[in-house]
């Protein structure tokens, strides 16, 4: 863990206030985090990582500002973002409630209605991060509604798969099934990806730990990998590890922004995060990657079968 005294000194210099108290708090699996009381009466949240990847905290700060710019969701104010530390306003935690979850569902629907200019991060020179794992973007990012499947395969799934294979986090058979899915996505993807979707502003790493339930009754989104992405990925990641009042949240979302057929596409949209976990935590997640890929491939086969059956039915009607 980073020395709390050194963090306090950095925060004092960045905020212009002496530090009254620095107390470690839960900050996730990657960073060390602190609740810091300032002598001027403010309380702030500071997180550090030693060593931090280049641009790590700058990317997080940019992601928070991107989410804020939509006017759809609440995020903590960014007070400072340096190479070694990120300082945010302190938001007093509270119990997760159905009312907060329903409000968040409606806010996420509004967020996902905000267009993004391209697929991927807002600055191609600066990767977004899922935890410590960088997600690069192409130098000339695509922007079309039909571009997501190929973009997702080439710039998200395959780079993560290569890292998982190299690190022993996924077995040969499971890796091959992920590759088969990527081939399908790159070729067309419509059978598995669903209707074309233009790039929308997404949180990008919306597991339940990145929803901060607050004492003031409005949940804040934290630790984003905000980018131009597919809205169904945010929702699928919320489902991946569970979330308080999830049914209420999703129902409120779909009242505003219905997504027919979304449940069948959940494995596809969870695969990216499962691959990150295979990279970081090993083959237990690699097996889940293979299962998700096979579920997505099964959906594609089902869509093709239904299309063939429909075509046969149409020919029969014509002959009659």
């Amino acid at each position: 863990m980073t020395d709390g005294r050194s963090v306090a000194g950095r925060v004092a210099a960045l905020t212009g206030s002496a530090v009254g108290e620095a107390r470690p708090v839960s900050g996730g699996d990657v960073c060390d985090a602190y609740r810091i009381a300032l002598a001027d009466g403010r309380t702030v949240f500071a997180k550090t990582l030693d060593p931090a990847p280049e641009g790590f905290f700058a990317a997080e700060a940019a992601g928070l500002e991107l989410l804020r710019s939509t006017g759809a969701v609440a995020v903590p104010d960014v007070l400072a973002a340096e190479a070694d530390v990120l300082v945010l306003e302190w938001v007093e935690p509270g119990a997760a409630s159905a009312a907060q979850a329903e409000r968040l569902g409606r806010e996420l629907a509004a967020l996902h209605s905000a267009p993004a200019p391209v697929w991927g991060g807002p600055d191609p020179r600066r990767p977004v991060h899922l935890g410590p794992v960088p997600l690069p973007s192409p130098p000339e990012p695509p922007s079309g509604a039909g571009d997501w499947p190929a973009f997702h395969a080439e710039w998200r799934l395959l780079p993560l798969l290569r890292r998982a294979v190299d690190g022993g986090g996924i077995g040969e058979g499971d890796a091959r099934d992920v590759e088969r899915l990527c081939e399908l996505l790159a070729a067309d993807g419509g059978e598995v990806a669903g209707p074309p979707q233009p790039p929308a502003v997404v949180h990008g790493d919306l597991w339940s730990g990145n929803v901060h339930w607050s004492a003031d009754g409005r949940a804040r989104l934290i630790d984003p990998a905000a980018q131009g992405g597919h809205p169904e990925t945010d929702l699928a990641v919320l489902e991946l590890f569970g979330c308080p009042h999830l049914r209420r949240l999703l129902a409120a979302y779909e009242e505003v922004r219905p997504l027919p057929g979304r449940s069948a596409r959940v494995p596809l949209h969870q695969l990216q995060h499962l691959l990150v976990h295979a990279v970081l935590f090993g083959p237990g997640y690699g097996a889940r990657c293979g299962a998700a890929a096979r579920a997505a491939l099964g959906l594609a086969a089902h869509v093709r079968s239904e299309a063939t059956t429909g075509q046969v039915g149409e020919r029969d009607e014509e002959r009659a």
Side-chain angles (χ1 to χ4, degrees):
M1 174 177 285
T2 307
D3 181 7
R5 287 173 297 181
S6 65
V7 175
R10 290 288 288 132
V11 170
L14 292 169
T15 60
S17 173
V19 171
E21 178 189 15
R23 176 164 56 87
V25 295
S26 174
D29 297 324
V30 177
C31 295
D32 297 326
Y34 297 86
R35 179 187 187 274
I36 298 180
L38 302 181
D40 63 11
R42 291 179 293 165
T43 302
V44 300
F45 173 86
K47 59 192 295 188
T48 65
L49 179 61
D50 185 22
E54 183 178 357
F56 183 75
F57 289 124
E60 182 173 340
L64 289 168
E65 291 306 319
L66 176 59
L67 295 178
R68 182 193 307 281
S69 73
T70 68
V73 294
V75 299
D77 289 339
V78 177
L79 303 180
E82 300 293 322
D84 59 334
V85 64
L86 178 69
V87 185
L88 307 175
E89 69 164 323
W90 176 262
V91 178
E92 192 65 28
S97 67
Q100 282 200 67
E102 289 179 357
R103 179 173 183 174
L104 179 58
R106 293 188 291 271
E107 291 177 343
L108 287 173
L111 174 68
H112 293 159
S113 297
V118 295
W119 296 104
D123 183 349
R125 298 166 298 178
R126 177 188 295 160
V128 296
H129 288 79
L130 290 181
V133 179
L135 299 179
S137 292
E140 296 183 5
S143 60
D147 292 334
W148 181 78
F151 166 81
H152 193 61
E154 181 179 356
W155 290 92
R156 295 295 180 258
L157 300 183
L158 285 174
L160 292 171
L161 176 63
R162 286 190 286 269
R163 289 190 61 165
V165 169
D166 291 345
I170 189 170
E172 182 178 344
D174 291 322
R176 179 55 192 152
D177 286 334
V178 175
E179 288 177 344
R180 288 174 55 215
L181 175 60
C182 289
E183 290 166 2
L184 177 62
L185 290 169
D188 175 16
E191 296 168 330
V192 65
Q197 162 70 50
V201 177
V202 299
H203 178 281
D205 191 14
L206 196 59
W207 71 288
S208 60
N210 286 343
V211 177
H212 181 81
W213 307 99
S214 75
D216 66 12
R218 188 181 187 189
R220 306 304 200 275
L221 300 187
I222 58 174
D223 295 351
Q227 58 188 286
H230 199 301
E232 291 185 28
T233 303
D234 272 354
L235 302 182
V237 174
L238 268 180
E239 295 178 88
L240 185 57
F241 300 112
C243 178
H245 307 289
L246 181 59
R247 286 187 181 181
R248 301 280 286 272
L249 187 159
L250 293 175
Y253 181 104
E254 296 220 14
E255 286 177 4
V256 179
R257 194 172 184 275
L259 295 170
R262 184 189 74 83
S263 61
R265 298 186 291 271
V266 167
L268 168 64
H269 288 280
Q270 290 181 340
L271 180 54
Q272 171 184 264
H273 278 66
L274 289 171
L275 283 167
V276 169
H277 280 71
V279 169
L280 296 176
F281 305 117
Y285 283 101
R288 293 183 66 180
C289 293
R294 288 187 289 275
L297 289 165
L299 172 62
H302 177 71
V303 170
R304 285 195 296 267
S305 175
E306 284 199 335
T308 301
T309 302
Q311 290 169 2
V312 170
E314 290 172 3
R315 288 196 293 269
D316 289 344
E317 290 177 3
E318 290 172 359
R319 284 195 294 270

